[in-house]
């Protein structure tokens, strides 16, 4: 029988495990950021205990994203008002656990909708999507100082880099970095918007900050994107990417070799349905073979492909009271 690790407050709006699955960060409707640690990290049945709590926003925290573990214990909190707060754990001898606010991003005029972190060319990068349809890439200048970031690039999520749309308004955005290992490689990532500007919406793969592929059929290019997820690659001759729109969950194959224009080939291999309503969050397992999704219906569904490459629903889990 499964053992309950922690009972969260009714006001909890989001949660996220760190990379070692020994620490849970949560956000609340009143803007409170909380940390819970396993009492015994070596035990699979250990319960969680509260070790830190502070208020970082006036409003609802909608998402928490951990930084890569190479940069210590640090996390970004995204609030409903579009402000991102970057917090870092401070360890002092014989002192209780403390977290400090290092940096904030975003404003009421240009809200941050999503952020993701990755290591590229041995530098920590942060990719942020904003409500005006812009994507900004920041680089950490000093690995020992998480407040020292530099804007490296700014662009809009369009396949033609010369295009620009100045009055875009986006309700949400989703970013997924290529989970490839190796800090010596250039970063590549996906961005999709739920925007009033159709040209920004479709999920596009970017190499550094140049668009290299659009993951949408010609008739679907204006569809709002709710979530994207780039699968780990353990030796396939192509990448696997999941994209969720109002039409369902699409599974794409992305080629590895660019053509003479620098573009990568794309092939939609499945369009899956099962959720009642929109899919809002997706996560691949470490092998890139199983996709977990959840959405408006509150269901968690697992998807896999069979030996013939046909994708299907493997399992579904209903919420419990």
């Amino acid at each position: 029988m499964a053992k309950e690790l922690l009972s969260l407050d009714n006001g909890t709006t989001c949660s996220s495990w760190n990379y070692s699955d020994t620490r849970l960060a949560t956000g609340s409707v009143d803007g409170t950021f909380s940390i819970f640690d396993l009492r015994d990290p070596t035990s699979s049945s250990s319960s969680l205990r509260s070790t830190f709590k502070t208020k970082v926003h006036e409003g609802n925290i909608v998402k928490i994203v951990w930084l890569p573990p190479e940069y210590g214990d640090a996390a970004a909190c995204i609030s409903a008002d579009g402000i991102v707060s970057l917090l870092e754990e401070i360890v002092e001898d014989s002192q209780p656990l403390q977290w400090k606010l290092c940096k904030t991003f975003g404003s009421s005029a240009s809200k941050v909708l999503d952020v993701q972190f990755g290591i590229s060319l041995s530098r920590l990068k942060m990719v942020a999507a904003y409500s005006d349809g812009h994507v900004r890439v920041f680089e950490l200048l000093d690995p020992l100082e998480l407040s020292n970031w530099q804007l490296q690039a700014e662009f809009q999520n369009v396949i033609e880099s010369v295009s620009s749309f100045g009055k875009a308004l986006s309700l949400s955005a989703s970013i997924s970095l290529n989970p490839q290992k190796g800090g010596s490689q250039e970063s590549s990532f996906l961005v999709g918007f739920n925007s009033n500007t159709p040209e920004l919406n479709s999920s596009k793969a970017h190499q550094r900050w140049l668009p290299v592929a659009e993951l949408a059929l010609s008739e679907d290019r204006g569809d709002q994107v709710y979530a994207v997820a780039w699968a780990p690659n353990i030796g396939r001759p192509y990448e696997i990417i999941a994209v969720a729109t109002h039409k369902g969950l699409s599974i794409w194959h992305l080629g590895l070799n660019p053509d003479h224009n620098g573009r990568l080939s794309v092939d939609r291999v499945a369009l899956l349905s099962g959720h009642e309503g929109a899919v809002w969050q997706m996560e691949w397992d470490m092998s890139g073979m199983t996709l977990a999704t959840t959405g408006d219906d509150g269901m968690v569904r697992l998807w896999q492909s069979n030996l013939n490459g046909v994708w299907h629903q493997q399992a579904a889990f209903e919420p419990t009271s």
Side-chain angles (χ1 to χ4, degrees):
M1 180 179 294
K3 177 183 176 181
E4 181 180 287
L5 297 179
L6 176 68
S7 180
L8 297 174
D9 296 335
N10 289 335
T12 302
T13 54
C14 59
S15 63
S16 180
W17 288 96
N18 67 353
Y19 282 77
S20 60
D21 293 331
T22 58
R23 172 170 280 177
L24 182 71
T26 67
S28 300
V29 69
D30 64 354
T32 298
F33 170 77
S34 302
I35 292 292
F36 299 88
D37 288 303
L38 288 175
R39 296 180 186 275
D40 181 7
T42 62
S43 173
S44 60
S45 62
S46 177
S47 60
L48 290 158
R49 60 187 177 91
S50 176
T51 55
F52 184 76
K53 183 179 293 186
T54 188
K55 187 168 183 177
V56 295
H57 292 287
E58 290 301 320
N60 184 9
I61 296 175
V62 297
K63 188 173 185 178
I64 295 175
V65 182
W66 288 90
L67 274 69
E70 295 91 331
Y71 293 84
D73 277 319
C77 295
I78 306 176
S79 69
D81 60 6
I83 304 298
V84 173
S85 297
L86 183 60
L87 297 104
E88 176 187 22
E89 181 188 12
I90 302 300
V91 179
E92 297 180 355
D93 293 340
S94 71
Q95 296 295 320
L97 172 66
Q98 294 292 323
W99 287 67
K100 75 169 184 177
L101 178 65
C102 300
K103 183 77 172 180
T104 59
F105 299 87
S107 66
S108 58
S110 183
K111 300 178 180 180
V112 179
L113 302 176
D114 194 17
V115 298
Q116 292 294 329
F117 298 90
I119 299 174
S120 171
L121 301 178
S122 301
R123 289 290 189 95
L124 180 63
K125 302 290 198 303
M126 183 183 81
V127 182
Y130 287 74
S131 58
D132 60 4
H134 281 84
V135 179
R136 296 181 176 93
V137 180
F138 299 88
E139 181 177 275
L140 184 66
L141 298 180
D142 183 350
L144 300 179
E145 184 55 67
L146 290 182
S147 63
N148 195 3
W149 294 82
Q150 182 181 62
L151 178 63
Q152 193 174 39
E154 180 177 1
F155 54 91
Q156 287 188 308
N157 189 44
V158 292
I159 198 66
E160 298 296 339
S161 59
V162 296
S163 302
S164 180
F165 304 90
K167 295 183 180 180
L169 177 62
S170 303
L171 298 178
S172 64
S174 182
I175 302 170
S176 182
L177 273 66
N178 183 350
Q180 45 87 9
K181 302 297 182 182
S184 63
Q185 302 183 46
E186 284 281 10
S187 60
S188 50
F189 53 88
L190 299 164
V191 183
F193 280 91
N194 175 7
S195 169
N196 66 353
T197 303
E199 290 83 356
L200 299 176
N201 288 334
S202 61
S203 177
K204 301 172 184 70
H206 298 266
Q207 177 72 39
R208 210 165 175 226
W209 45 79
L210 297 176
V212 294
E214 184 173 19
L215 287 86
L217 301 180
S218 58
E219 63 269 23
D220 301 332
R221 285 175 179 164
D223 291 350
Q224 294 92 340
V225 172
Y226 301 131
V228 297
W230 195 315
N233 192 337
I234 55 174
R236 292 184 299 264
Y238 53 85
E239 304 286 353
I240 296 181
I241 291 170
V243 178
T245 70
H246 72 279
K247 293 179 180 175
L249 173 63
S250 297
I251 304 296
W252 293 83
H253 288 179
L254 177 69
L256 301 180
N257 300 313
D259 62 15
H260 65 282
N261 292 319
R263 301 288 171 81
L264 299 176
S265 63
V266 295
D267 179 27
R268 192 179 75 176
V269 297
L271 177 61
L272 306 170
S273 60
H275 282 283
E276 296 180 7
V279 173
W280 290 106
Q281 189 168 1
M282 304 189 293
E283 193 78 28
W284 290 96
D285 70 345
M286 295 180 64
S287 68
M289 299 178 66
T290 301
L291 176 69
T293 62
T294 188
D296 284 346
D297 59 4
M299 297 285 291
V300 176
R301 302 181 188 274
L302 302 182
W303 310 87
Q304 292 180 339
S305 66
N306 60 23
L307 295 177
N308 295 321
V310 178
W311 285 84
H312 62 282
Q313 180 176 284
Q314 180 70 19
F317 306 92
E318 294 186 15
T320 57
S321 58

